[in-house]
Amino acid sequence: METKGWKSFWTALWVSLLVLLPLVAGTAVLAQRQAAGRVRASESQSGVPVQLPREENHLTLLACVAGDDPAFVLLYLNADQNCIHLLAVPGQLAVPFSDGKASLADCYAAAGPARCLQGLRAVLDLPEDAHYLAATPETLAGLCDGYGNLRVGFSGALSPEELARFEQAGVGDWDGVSAHAFLEELAASLPPASTAAARAAVWDAFFRQNLDALPASLPGALRSASDSLLTDLTAADLLTLEDTLELLANGQAAVTSGVLPGRWDRAGGLYTLDEEADAAVQAFFNVSDSAAASGAQSASSSAPYPSTSVPGGQADGPSM
């Protein structure tokens, strides 16, 4: 009787173990997998995260080159659209000033870059968060010289007749000082749109050839030169600019450039917008026709616009 009882006990024990052991093993395996998943998640979070464009990773900037004949370039950087757009604005552009009109250059001389941005907003559909930055040619050259010479050609900016007048307009290497001197030479003898197109070609070449280096150097250079700049860019704006440039460099952003279309009144000395100006500004901001019709300003769209046919498209020197 006692032997039979022990046999029953051991039989029940082995049956229990046969049932429990798979359950215990399964629970252990599941726990191990969950722990491994937590480790991988922790490792992923502690590593270098993949940076994605945020809503603030865009910038509209009026860049002003100070001097007796100020020059102007609108820049639009948008990491979500993966684009850098440049639009050269002739200094003779007519904008509201006081009780009448004045050229953008005269506006700059009388009231500075902030007033120029205000005048541009009166004739162009610029976003409310647009900024301005003004620098002397010497300061600008100093900012650019750290990147070396630019390979620039002007055949896409100047007409064959204009190219024939300037031997140095062929593809060549330019530093900041020589490029500014050449643009001043053009301004003394060519219509405003031609000079603006040549300026757009120089800025186009700068962004194309130095895009990979800009995130690590340009915001810092602007901070170092802050005493020589007139700008409403804040320290936070420069941090956003750094992030935006990094995203654009990683995405090998498309760079396009052009000139604000208009008509030149030589007698009156003013450059006025023509019927193509609205389309050029819409393209500059990647605004669709439907969005423009509803009066919406684009903050982001799916893809950059293709190169436009307005004068001063891309520099024809080789891209680097």
Side-chain angles (χ1 to χ4, degrees), residues 41-50:
S42 175
E43 290 175 349
S44 175
Q45 291 173 1
S46 63
V48 178
V50 176

Side-chain angles (χ1 to χ4, degrees), residues 89-167:
V89 180
Q92 295 83 355
L93 177 68
V95 296
F97 189 75
S98 188
D99 294 330
K101 288 186 177 181
S103 71
L104 197 60
D106 288 341
C107 181
Y108 183 92
R115 183 64 181 82
C116 288
L117 181 58
Q118 182 181 352
L120 272 183
R121 281 200 177 104
V123 296
L124 302 178
D125 186 18
L126 299 183
E128 288 299 320
D129 61 353
H131 295 278
Y132 64 85
L133 184 148
T136 65
E138 294 76 18
T139 297
L140 196 60
L143 290 171
C144 296
D145 284 346
Y147 302 98
N149 289 352
L150 294 176
R151 187 76 170 167
V152 187
F154 298 95
S155 63
L158 304 179
S159 69
E161 294 77 14
E162 291 168 340
L163 288 169
R165 293 173 57 183
F166 301 94
E167 293 182 2

Side-chain angles (χ1 to χ4, degrees), residues 6 39 60 114 119 133 187 189 202 206 209 225 289 295:
W6 278 110
V39 170
T60 303
L133 184 148
S189 57
V202 174
F206 175 81
Q209 296 171 26
D289 291 338

Side-chain angles (χ1 to χ4, degrees), residues 173-268:
D173 294 329
W174 300 81
D175 60 24
V177 172
S178 62
H180 176 72
F182 178 61
L183 292 172
E184 283 196 319
E185 183 181 353
L186 295 181
S189 57
L190 295 183
S194 296
T195 305
R199 188 175 305 279
V202 174
W203 285 66
D204 186 294
F206 175 81
F207 278 95
R208 284 178 182 276
Q209 296 171 26
N210 298 306
L211 182 56
D212 288 342
L214 294 181
S217 57
L218 184 58
L222 292 174
R223 293 185 188 98
S224 299
S226 59
D227 292 343
S228 304
L229 303 174
L230 291 175
T231 183
D232 63 345
L233 290 170
T234 65
D237 292 327
L238 291 177
L239 289 173
T240 300
L241 174 62
E242 186 174 346
D243 290 342
T244 302
L245 286 171
E246 183 175 356
L247 290 164
L248 292 169
N250 291 340
Q252 292 297 296
V255 181
T256 58
S257 59
V259 176
L260 183 65
R263 289 182 289 269
W264 167 232
D265 178 8
R266 185 180 297 274

Side-chain angles (χ1 to χ4, degrees), residues 7-19:
K7 284 183 179 180
S8 299
F9 168 78
W10 286 113
T11 299
L13 177 63
W14 283 111
V15 169
S16 300
L17 290 176
L18 288 174
V19 172

